[in-house]
Amino acid sequence: MAAKSRCIIIGASHAAAQLAPTLRQQGWTGSISMICNEYALPYHRPPLSKDFLAGTKTAEQILIRPAAVYKKCDVGITMGVTVAAIDRSNKQIMLEDGLALDYDKLVLTTGARVRKIDIPGVDLNGVFYLRDLNDAQQIKMSTGANKRAVIIGGGYIGLETASALRKIGMQVTVLEAMPRILQRVTAPEVAAFYSRIHKEEGVEIVAGVQAVSISGDKQVESVQCHDGTEYEADIVIIGVGVIPNTELAEQAGLEIDNGIVVDEYARTSDEDILAAGDCTSHYNPIYQRHLRLESVQNALDQASVAASTISGNLKAYSALPWFWSDQYDLKLQIAGLSQGYTDVVVRGDIGDSRSFAAFYMREGKLLAVDAVNRPQEFMFGKKLIMQGNQLDPGQLADESLPLKTLVAS
Amino acid sequence: MPRVTYIQADGQSQEVNLESGSSLMQGAVDNMIDGIVAECGGSCSCATCHCYIDADWVDKVEPAEEMETDLLDCVSEPKDNSRLSCQVKVSDALDGLVVHLPTTQF
Ligand SMILES: Cc1cc2nc3c(=O)[nH]c(=O)nc-3n(C[C@H](O)[C@H](O)[C@H](O)COP(=O)(O)OP(=O)(O)OC[C@H]3O[C@@H](n4cnc5c(N)ncnc54)[C@H](O)[C@@H]3O)c2cc1C
Ligand code: FES
């Protein structure tokens, strides 16, 4: 490896915070620099809708690593600069101010951006999206006990936001366009569970309504829905999904298919350009299809794979996707992907308690587990999914039988 | 600043200074100590920050809560002195603490 090799990472992301120091540890002697359009060292995004919003963690406390680590690893970080283009033939990237930088290895960890909705009034003061620290800080400045928040979108981020805002005493309404919350990601049983809990916590959840306009003078005052209903609001937070940031890669002619296409070694269709995290689409050997994931697990694991590839010791990516969501006293841990399930087996009292596990099955095999305050079901569920054996639904549901006993040794 | 020694399964050890109030996990991440993965960043969800508290120190560390003990039951090679390092806050009272790392987090 030439001593002068240059590795540039676009985005000071979750993936970058993992990749840069790992690459150094693996013996990369060239330069490493991160370039990001945000003004912050890489931070944990999950707390933005949880502890940070609820005020129990500060911006400093959610940094992935302190500045000293990057310094020690000799990783340069340029903040507040957008990369405008990639010139593959000259192996250069172009910054927005026209400056060109040479690279030997380029890693795209550009993440995703929020999906915007186009309805009248979205530009009013007090209407927010939530993706980055700046968004969360803006929201926080507008929150306050007894103020009213309307959240558009009943996915995990919307529901976590509802929980965090309840914690600080706000009145919260969640508007969901689909017939139920968490429609895309969970079984009806699990959605019903979360609806019940939010109701018990004082959140109003309205499903099957589409927000069609937001009104107010300069400051938001209310949200109107397609069925004529109206909800008063001091703030509105929109959480209706994200779009991967693939434009740079696309303009550079890299293969894109619902994300930047990477192989199991995190390489794009150009062998000197790698990609990791939310912006990628990869082939997952466990589920045998291409996946674009939006999770910390995927960002970290792909970043480690990318570091190994750059260091020259290929290590294929094959990890079981997992995710978590914290709402109130509920710790949800999700192992695997439930898409394509035919049956759901519930273990525990999903109707009245605050703890259960839902097993998503297909042809007698376990695809995924949603475990709420059930860490063991999550941990052993992971093993059961990986083992891929036929399982008896009766045994999965039987709480007198420790799940451990079903795991083949 | 409490000083903590992390000892790898192969015997290699690293001694580092941690901020009081920080966690054993953050201390490992901040100092690039191998063997602590910490996927969830300390939210007690992933159990990839498993460690063993040295026998001489077990009594001085605050005990684990239920979520943590449940997760610890499922890690590979759990022992009586197992802890999730993100749940152990360091303070001056733990100056000199010795922590052992497992062979794997998975
Ligand atoms: C509120 C919230 C809660 C979440 N909760 C969870 C959770 O509980 N569990 C979980 O697993 N995941 C959660 N996620 C998802 C998780 O945070 C993401 O999957 C993860 O951050 C993805 O990391 P990444 O490395 O792909 O990129 P990111 O961390 O998204 O970083 C990409 C960076 O690249 C920058 N960038 C993009 N284009 C350019 C350019 N052209 N020039 C310069 N810079 C650029 C972006 O501004 C950004 O800073 C949550 C996300 C949010 C927003
Ligand atoms: S870092 Fe995830 S449980 Fe400790």
Side-chain angles (χ1 to χ4, degrees):
Chain A
M1 197 181 303
K4 291 258 158 35
S5 293
R6 287 146 302 198
C7 175
I8 297 181
I9 306 168
I10 306 180
S13 56
H14 253 284
Q18 176 73 9
L19 176 80
T22 310
L23 191 56
R24 189 61 83 203
Q25 268 186 332
Q26 296 190 352
W28 174 265
T29 52
S31 67
I32 304 176
S33 42
M34 279 182 212
I35 301 173
C36 190
N37 53 16
E38 282 192 67
Y39 286 93
L41 290 175
Y43 54 89
H44 293 280
R45 275 174 216 277
L48 296 182
S49 53
K50 309 177 183 85
D51 290 344
F52 181 80
L53 203 55
T56 46
K57 271 194 181 155
T58 63
E60 204 184 325
Q61 286 170 327
I62 64 171
L63 287 182
I64 298 178
R65 304 176 196 276
V69 172
Y70 303 105
K71 214 169 168 184
K72 199 166 142 200
C73 297
D74 195 16
V75 172
I77 304 185
T78 307
M79 294 183 216
V81 174
T82 301
V83 177
I86 303 169
D87 174 356
R88 285 165 58 197
S89 50
N90 291 310
K91 294 185 88 172
Q92 285 187 326
I93 59 163
M94 249 59 72
L95 307 185
E96 56 188 338
D97 60 5
L99 191 70
L101 300 174
D102 296 326
Y103 67 81
D104 295 287
K105 293 286 175 191
L106 181 64
V107 191
L108 306 175
T109 66
T110 48
R113 61 178 178 277
V114 291
R115 186 182 294 282
K116 303 230 162 152
I117 57 175
D118 185 19
I119 58 173
V122 279
D123 296 327
L124 286 169
N125 287 337
V127 179
F128 304 99
Y129 291 91
L130 177 52
R131 175 73 190 179
D132 58 32
L133 183 58
N134 186 43
D135 298 332
Q137 280 165 332
Q138 299 280 335
I139 295 173
K140 237 174 117 176
M141 282 191 287
S142 312
T143 55
N146 298 317
K147 283 193 177 181
R148 292 154 309 181
V150 169
I151 296 170
I152 300 179
Y156 288 121
I157 291 183
L159 296 177
E160 287 179 353
T161 302
S163 154
L165 297 182
R166 277 305 290 158
K167 269 190 202 156
I168 55 174
M170 289 185 70
Q171 298 173 37
V172 184
T173 302
V174 176
L175 304 178
E176 168 57 55
M178 303 276 214
R180 59 179 172 86
I181 55 169
L182 301 171
Q183 169 111 9
R184 238 172 14 102
V185 284
T186 63
E189 294 89 326
V190 178
F193 170 86
Y194 274 101
S195 290
R196 167 172 70 83
I197 298 291
H198 278 276
K199 213 174 194 172
E200 287 173 7
E201 297 286 347
V203 171
E204 179 184 20
I205 292 192
V206 190
V209 291
Q210 193 143 15
V212 290
S213 61
I214 302 175
S215 49
D217 191 7
K218 273 188 181 131
Q219 176 69 29
V220 59
E221 284 166 15
S222 63
V223 178
Q224 292 75 41
C225 296
H226 79 287
D227 58 357
T229 52
E230 180 167 37
Y231 298 88
E232 291 183 2
D234 299 302
I235 62 170
V236 172
I237 300 167
I238 305 169
V240 293
V242 297
I243 302 170
N245 290 323
T246 57
E247 288 74 8
L248 269 183
E250 196 167 352
Q251 283 156 14
L254 299 175
E255 191 186 343
I256 310 288
D257 183 9
N258 179 34
I260 305 169
V261 176
V262 291
D263 66 9
E264 65 266 51
Y265 304 111
R267 292 178 300 208
T268 66
S269 48
D270 178 329
E271 61 170 9
D272 291 320
I273 306 182
L274 294 89
D278 284 11
C279 64
T280 67
S281 164
H282 73 279
Y283 180 78
N284 184 292
I286 303 165
Y287 291 94
Q288 300 182 359
R289 62 173 191 268
H290 281 273
L291 299 176
R292 186 173 65 74
L293 300 171
E294 295 155 15
S295 71
V296 168
Q297 167 273 322
N298 180 57
L300 294 183
D301 287 344
Q302 265 186 342
S304 300
V305 167
S308 297
T309 304
I310 296 173
S311 314
N313 56 37
L314 296 184
K315 185 179 91 181
Y317 179 47
S318 162
L320 183 70
W322 81 274
F323 191 81
W324 76 96
S325 174
D326 297 338
Q327 297 165 49
Y328 311 106
D329 57 336
L330 307 181
K331 207 164 240 319
L332 166 65
Q333 294 163 294
I334 303 167
L337 301 175
S338 60
Q339 277 87 350
Y341 74 89
T342 48
D343 302 285
V344 177
V345 177
V346 175
R347 181 179 172 97
D349 181 1
I350 196 170
D352 278 315
S353 76
R354 287 188 165 229
S355 137
F356 72 90
F359 299 96
Y360 295 81
M361 317 286 298
R362 188 176 62 204
E363 290 160 9
K365 289 184 184 173
L366 186 59
L367 286 179
V369 183
D370 288 347
V372 172
N373 293 346
R374 294 270 180 147
Q376 305 225 339
E377 278 76 352
F378 167 70
M379 296 289 279
F380 293 121
K382 268 180 158 179
K383 293 195 173 139
L384 291 173
I385 298 169
M386 294 300 279
Q387 289 180 347
N389 294 334
Q390 291 283 326
L391 294 166
D392 175 354
Q395 288 188 325
L396 283 173
D398 182 357
E399 292 214 74
S400 65
L401 196 70
L403 210 55
K404 201 177 189 166
T405 56
L406 302 183
V407 178
S409 49
Chain B
M1 275 218 237
R3 214 166 161 70
V4 175
T5 305
Y6 294 85
I7 303 178
Q8 300 287 343
D10 67 5
Q12 272 195 48
S13 81
Q14 268 167 287
E15 229 182 292
V16 299
N17 291 320
L18 304 193
E19 288 290 336
S20 243
S22 162
S23 70
L24 282 181
M25 177 280 283
Q26 196 61 47
V29 170
D30 291 355
N31 292 286
M32 295 301 298
I33 288 170
D34 271 342
I36 294 287
V37 180
E39 284 188 334
C40 75
S43 94
C44 200
S45 296
C46 68
T48 62
C49 64
H50 175 211
C51 70
Y52 307 107
I53 304 294
D54 190 83
D56 291 347
W57 290 88
V58 174
D59 299 339
K60 301 187 180 71
V61 175
E62 294 281 319
E65 289 184 23
E66 192 186 338
M67 181 77 190
E68 185 189 342
T69 48
D70 280 357
L71 277 169
L72 283 169
D73 274 345
C74 321
V75 299
S76 63
E77 297 177 57
K79 296 182 193 164
D80 289 345
N81 59 343
S82 282
R83 289 300 302 266
L84 293 180
S85 58
C86 68
Q87 301 303 306
V88 181
K89 295 268 170 293
V90 291
S91 61
D92 289 332
L94 295 180
D95 187 28
L97 178 69
V98 177
V99 181
H100 301 268
L101 299 173
T103 41
T104 173
Q105 292 290 349
F106 298 100

